[in-house]
Amino acid sequence: MRKPCCDKENINKGAWSKQEDQKLIDYIQVHGEGCWRSIPKAAGLHRCGKSCRMRWLNYLRPGIKRGIFAEDEEDLIIKLHALLGNRWSLIAGRLPGRTDNEVKNYWNSHIRRKLIKMGIDPNSHKPHQSFPRPHVSSADHQGASTSESINNNKVPFFNSRGSAATDHHKISFTKEETSIISSPPLNLDLTISLPSPVEENKNSDHESAKTCDVDIDLNC
DNA sequence: AAGTTGTCCAACCGCCGAAGA
DNA sequence: TTCTTCGGCGGTTGGACAACT
């Protein structure tokens, strides 16, 4: 039996009060982030260390962007989810100021539903077999790349507005992410363009770099 | 106006992997 | 090598509020 992360006695639960927030902010501003287990006691909070960490990282940390997601953020979440699955921390890492919790909530409450409505399986990002395919008029998928990807039996990325995405995101991935993307079980049906010779040279100059750039052709 | 249902989102829970003893 | 501790992550819950009947 695993020990609880903290003593359940004398531990506050539920919403944080302003005083608690202030205590945590004050403590971290002075001492910095550190041993979360010891922070509650040191800061005079009757909270679990994990709870303090969650509160700080998701709400109190400077630079947190609150409020509704922009269209491009939403589109990026969909695309990243298609690539990474439910790796909310990785996805959030690509959205400056957004937290994994927020991205996860937004996915579950908005995007998931929207995709289902569109007849797209939110897990596989492919048209759901039990759903009727959304009717797409010929005007809806103009552009060679869209029909091309369909002809190539590739599943187009749909953006959050119900149309095929037409932008061209350049996304930089860490080595870990790249290995996730390229691992066989994930059939992600990506169209990845080859780097230009200039970029190739640039990359070879920085072989030790921790990230590599993958141009994902999201034109559908 | 009151009751019911749906939605949102902050917070909790439990599991996992890394690090250290 | 094994055990313990801790931080981090993703899934889930439950309260607050809005929309609907």
Side-chain angles (χ1 to χ4, degrees), chain A residues 133-151 156 158 162-166 220:
Chain A
R133 291 287 297 276
H135 176 73
V136 181
S137 69
S138 57
D140 283 338
H141 56 89
Q142 295 167 337
S145 57
T146 301
S147 54
E148 196 177 65
S149 63
I150 292 168
N151 289 341
F158 288 88
S163 58
T166 55
C220 300

mmCIF file of all heavy atoms in Angstrom, chain A residues 133-151 156 158 162-166 220:
data_model
loop_
_atom_site.group_PDB
_atom_site.id
_atom_site.type_symbol
_atom_site.label_atom_id
_atom_site.label_comp_id
_atom_site.label_asym_id
_atom_site.label_seq_id
_atom_site.Cartn_x
_atom_site.Cartn_y
_atom_site.Cartn_z
ATOM 1 N N ARG A 133 -20.550 10.630 -42.602
ATOM 2 C CA ARG A 133 -19.527 11.579 -42.997
ATOM 3 C C ARG A 133 -20.176 12.917 -43.241
ATOM 4 O O ARG A 133 -21.243 13.012 -43.836
ATOM 5 C CB ARG A 133 -18.853 11.114 -44.309
ATOM 6 C CG ARG A 133 -18.017 9.884 -44.138
ATOM 7 C CD ARG A 133 -16.724 10.224 -43.393
ATOM 8 N NE ARG A 133 -15.881 11.150 -44.141
ATOM 9 C CZ ARG A 133 -15.034 10.737 -45.080
ATOM 10 N NH1 ARG A 133 -14.911 9.482 -45.395
ATOM 11 N NH2 ARG A 133 -14.304 11.620 -45.715
ATOM 12 N N PRO A 134 -19.593 13.965 -42.762
ATOM 13 C CA PRO A 134 -20.165 15.281 -43.021
ATOM 14 C C PRO A 134 -20.179 15.537 -44.517
ATOM 15 O O PRO A 134 -19.214 15.228 -45.200
ATOM 16 C CB PRO A 134 -19.226 16.241 -42.292
ATOM 17 C CG PRO A 134 -17.962 15.498 -42.107
ATOM 18 C CD PRO A 134 -18.331 14.041 -42.044
ATOM 19 N N HIS A 135 -21.277 16.101 -44.968
ATOM 20 C CA HIS A 135 -21.362 16.375 -46.388
ATOM 21 C C HIS A 135 -20.419 17.499 -46.752
ATOM 22 O O HIS A 135 -20.423 18.566 -46.162
ATOM 23 C CB HIS A 135 -22.793 16.783 -46.754
ATOM 24 C CG HIS A 135 -22.916 17.168 -48.200
ATOM 25 N ND1 HIS A 135 -22.888 16.228 -49.199
ATOM 26 C CD2 HIS A 135 -23.018 18.367 -48.795
ATOM 27 C CE1 HIS A 135 -23.010 16.834 -50.368
ATOM 28 N NE2 HIS A 135 -23.092 18.151 -50.151
ATOM 29 N N VAL A 136 -19.585 17.244 -47.698
ATOM 30 C CA VAL A 136 -18.621 18.240 -48.118
ATOM 31 C C VAL A 136 -18.903 18.578 -49.564
ATOM 32 O O VAL A 136 -18.799 17.738 -50.446
ATOM 33 C CB VAL A 136 -17.180 17.711 -47.972
ATOM 34 C CG1 VAL A 136 -16.202 18.786 -48.405
ATOM 35 C CG2 VAL A 136 -16.922 17.284 -46.541
ATOM 36 N N SER A 137 -19.303 19.801 -49.763
ATOM 37 C CA SER A 137 -19.555 20.216 -51.137
ATOM 38 C C SER A 137 -18.237 20.402 -51.856
ATOM 39 O O SER A 137 -17.189 20.567 -51.240
ATOM 40 C CB SER A 137 -20.345 21.518 -51.140
ATOM 41 O OG SER A 137 -19.519 22.552 -50.654
ATOM 42 N N SER A 138 -18.314 20.382 -53.162
ATOM 43 C CA SER A 138 -17.070 20.515 -53.914
ATOM 44 C C SER A 138 -16.400 21.836 -53.614
ATOM 45 O O SER A 138 -15.186 21.953 -53.634
ATOM 46 C CB SER A 138 -17.361 20.407 -55.403
ATOM 47 O OG SER A 138 -18.308 21.387 -55.767
ATOM 48 N N ALA A 139 -17.215 22.843 -53.297
ATOM 49 C CA ALA A 139 -16.635 24.154 -52.984
ATOM 50 C C ALA A 139 -15.900 24.118 -51.664
ATOM 51 O O ALA A 139 -15.027 24.936 -51.407
ATOM 52 C CB ALA A 139 -17.735 25.201 -52.937
ATOM 53 N N ASP A 140 -16.253 23.153 -50.827
ATOM 54 C CA ASP A 140 -15.642 23.105 -49.506
ATOM 55 C C ASP A 140 -14.227 22.571 -49.544
ATOM 56 O O ASP A 140 -13.478 22.762 -48.602
ATOM 57 C CB ASP A 140 -16.476 22.239 -48.561
ATOM 58 C CG ASP A 140 -17.696 22.971 -48.085
ATOM 59 O OD1 ASP A 140 -17.676 24.216 -48.127
ATOM 60 O OD2 ASP A 140 -18.654 22.314 -47.723
ATOM 61 N N HIS A 141 -13.949 21.804 -50.541
ATOM 62 C CA HIS A 141 -12.553 21.347 -50.580
ATOM 63 C C HIS A 141 -11.921 21.639 -51.923
ATOM 64 O O HIS A 141 -11.494 20.781 -52.650
ATOM 65 C CB HIS A 141 -12.423 19.882 -50.180
ATOM 66 C CG HIS A 141 -13.234 18.926 -50.958
ATOM 67 N ND1 HIS A 141 -12.791 18.331 -52.101
ATOM 68 C CD2 HIS A 141 -14.481 18.463 -50.739
ATOM 69 C CE1 HIS A 141 -13.717 17.515 -52.549
ATOM 70 N NE2 HIS A 141 -14.755 17.574 -51.752
ATOM 71 N N GLN A 142 -11.885 22.902 -52.186
ATOM 72 C CA GLN A 142 -11.115 23.326 -53.334
ATOM 73 C C GLN A 142 -9.652 23.202 -52.979
ATOM 74 O O GLN A 142 -9.283 23.039 -51.849
ATOM 75 C CB GLN A 142 -11.429 24.791 -53.650
ATOM 76 C CG GLN A 142 -12.856 24.979 -54.088
ATOM 77 C CD GLN A 142 -13.225 26.450 -54.080
ATOM 78 O OE1 GLN A 142 -12.585 27.229 -53.359
ATOM 79 N NE2 GLN A 142 -14.238 26.823 -54.816
ATOM 80 N N GLY A 143 -8.848 23.311 -53.970
ATOM 81 C CA GLY A 143 -7.428 23.268 -53.681
ATOM 82 C C GLY A 143 -6.909 21.866 -53.895
ATOM 83 O O GLY A 143 -7.463 20.904 -53.396
ATOM 84 N N ALA A 144 -5.814 21.793 -54.608
ATOM 85 C CA ALA A 144 -5.290 20.504 -55.008
ATOM 86 C C ALA A 144 -4.886 19.660 -53.823
ATOM 87 O O ALA A 144 -5.101 18.455 -53.821
ATOM 88 C CB ALA A 144 -4.083 20.711 -55.931
ATOM 89 N N SER A 145 -4.321 20.307 -52.799
ATOM 90 C CA SER A 145 -3.755 19.506 -51.715
ATOM 91 C C SER A 145 -4.821 18.721 -50.988
ATOM 92 O O SER A 145 -4.582 17.625 -50.510
ATOM 93 C CB SER A 145 -2.986 20.394 -50.756
ATOM 94 O OG SER A 145 -3.812 21.402 -50.259
ATOM 95 N N THR A 146 -6.020 19.288 -50.869
ATOM 96 C CA THR A 146 -7.076 18.582 -50.175
ATOM 97 C C THR A 146 -7.432 17.306 -50.904
ATOM 98 O O THR A 146 -7.404 16.218 -50.349
ATOM 99 C CB THR A 146 -8.330 19.469 -50.060
ATOM 100 O OG1 THR A 146 -7.983 20.636 -49.377
ATOM 101 C CG2 THR A 146 -9.421 18.746 -49.337
ATOM 102 N N SER A 147 -7.779 17.462 -52.166
ATOM 103 C CA SER A 147 -8.183 16.280 -52.900
ATOM 104 C C SER A 147 -7.013 15.322 -53.056
ATOM 105 O O SER A 147 -7.189 14.120 -53.083
ATOM 106 C CB SER A 147 -8.737 16.674 -54.256
ATOM 107 O OG SER A 147 -7.797 17.484 -54.926
ATOM 108 N N GLU A 148 -5.827 15.903 -53.069
ATOM 109 C CA GLU A 148 -4.650 15.065 -53.196
ATOM 110 C C GLU A 148 -4.502 14.158 -51.986
ATOM 111 O O GLU A 148 -4.282 12.957 -52.117
ATOM 112 C CB GLU A 148 -3.422 15.959 -53.329
ATOM 113 C CG GLU A 148 -2.199 15.241 -53.835
ATOM 114 C CD GLU A 148 -1.060 16.233 -54.014
ATOM 115 O OE1 GLU A 148 -0.613 16.789 -53.007
ATOM 116 O OE2 GLU A 148 -0.649 16.472 -55.146
ATOM 117 N N SER A 149 -4.682 14.737 -50.808
ATOM 118 C CA SER A 149 -4.498 13.925 -49.615
ATOM 119 C C SER A 149 -5.569 12.858 -49.527
ATOM 120 O O SER A 149 -5.333 11.763 -49.040
ATOM 121 C CB SER A 149 -4.495 14.799 -48.366
ATOM 122 O OG SER A 149 -5.717 15.441 -48.202
ATOM 123 N N ILE A 150 -6.771 13.188 -49.981
ATOM 124 C CA ILE A 150 -7.827 12.187 -49.964
ATOM 125 C C ILE A 150 -7.505 11.090 -50.970
ATOM 126 O O ILE A 150 -7.627 9.908 -50.683
ATOM 127 C CB ILE A 150 -9.190 12.840 -50.262
ATOM 128 C CG1 ILE A 150 -9.576 13.732 -49.102
ATOM 129 C CG2 ILE A 150 -10.250 11.826 -50.540
ATOM 130 C CD1 ILE A 150 -10.735 14.652 -49.365
ATOM 131 N N ASN A 151 -7.052 11.516 -52.132
ATOM 132 C CA ASN A 151 -6.714 10.534 -53.146
ATOM 133 C C ASN A 151 -5.595 9.616 -52.683
ATOM 134 O O ASN A 151 -5.545 8.449 -53.033
ATOM 135 C CB ASN A 151 -6.276 11.227 -54.452
ATOM 136 C CG ASN A 151 -7.458 11.879 -55.118
ATOM 137 O OD1 ASN A 151 -8.609 11.528 -54.828
ATOM 138 N ND2 ASN A 151 -7.197 12.829 -55.989
ATOM 139 N N PRO A 156 -7.283 14.071 -43.985
ATOM 140 C CA PRO A 156 -6.938 15.477 -43.801
ATOM 141 C C PRO A 156 -7.125 15.896 -42.377
ATOM 142 O O PRO A 156 -7.983 15.377 -41.667
ATOM 143 C CB PRO A 156 -7.937 16.202 -44.700
ATOM 144 C CG PRO A 156 -9.099 15.278 -44.794
ATOM 145 C CD PRO A 156 -8.532 13.890 -44.694
ATOM 146 N N PHE A 158 -8.640 18.403 -39.952
ATOM 147 C CA PHE A 158 -9.690 19.387 -39.998
ATOM 148 C C PHE A 158 -9.407 20.428 -38.948
ATOM 149 O O PHE A 158 -8.999 20.097 -37.843
ATOM 150 C CB PHE A 158 -11.049 18.751 -39.732
ATOM 151 C CG PHE A 158 -11.501 17.915 -40.875
ATOM 152 C CD1 PHE A 158 -11.150 16.574 -40.957
ATOM 153 C CD2 PHE A 158 -12.242 18.478 -41.884
ATOM 154 C CE1 PHE A 158 -11.566 15.804 -42.027
ATOM 155 C CE2 PHE A 158 -12.666 17.708 -42.953
ATOM 156 C CZ PHE A 158 -12.331 16.368 -43.029
ATOM 157 N N GLY A 162 -14.414 23.427 -38.808
ATOM 158 C CA GLY A 162 -15.169 22.501 -39.634
ATOM 159 C C GLY A 162 -14.700 22.438 -41.064
ATOM 160 O O GLY A 162 -15.296 21.777 -41.895
ATOM 161 N N SER A 163 -13.640 23.100 -41.354
ATOM 162 C CA SER A 163 -13.112 23.010 -42.697
ATOM 163 C C SER A 163 -11.715 22.439 -42.627
ATOM 164 O O SER A 163 -11.072 22.446 -41.587
ATOM 165 C CB SER A 163 -13.066 24.400 -43.322
ATOM 166 O OG SER A 163 -12.283 25.248 -42.527
ATOM 167 N N ALA A 164 -11.280 21.957 -43.762
ATOM 168 C CA ALA A 164 -9.935 21.405 -43.763
ATOM 169 C C ALA A 164 -8.943 22.521 -43.524
ATOM 170 O O ALA A 164 -9.096 23.628 -44.030
ATOM 171 C CB ALA A 164 -9.663 20.752 -45.110
ATOM 172 N N ALA A 165 -7.941 22.219 -42.747
ATOM 173 C CA ALA A 165 -6.956 23.245 -42.421
ATOM 174 C C ALA A 165 -6.189 23.623 -43.670
ATOM 175 O O ALA A 165 -5.847 22.781 -44.481
ATOM 176 C CB ALA A 165 -6.005 22.724 -41.357
ATOM 177 N N THR A 166 -5.936 24.889 -43.800
ATOM 178 C CA THR A 166 -5.226 25.334 -44.980
ATOM 179 C C THR A 166 -3.904 25.998 -44.654
ATOM 180 O O THR A 166 -3.179 26.393 -45.526
ATOM 181 C CB THR A 166 -6.075 26.351 -45.766
ATOM 182 O OG1 THR A 166 -6.425 27.388 -44.875
ATOM 183 C CG2 THR A 166 -7.317 25.696 -46.327
ATOM 184 N N CYS A 220 -4.758 20.440 -46.694
ATOM 185 C CA CYS A 220 -5.586 19.272 -46.947
ATOM 186 C C CYS A 220 -6.502 19.512 -48.143
ATOM 187 O O CYS A 220 -7.038 20.546 -48.303
ATOM 188 C CB CYS A 220 -6.424 18.949 -45.731
ATOM 189 S SG CYS A 220 -5.407 18.614 -44.303
#
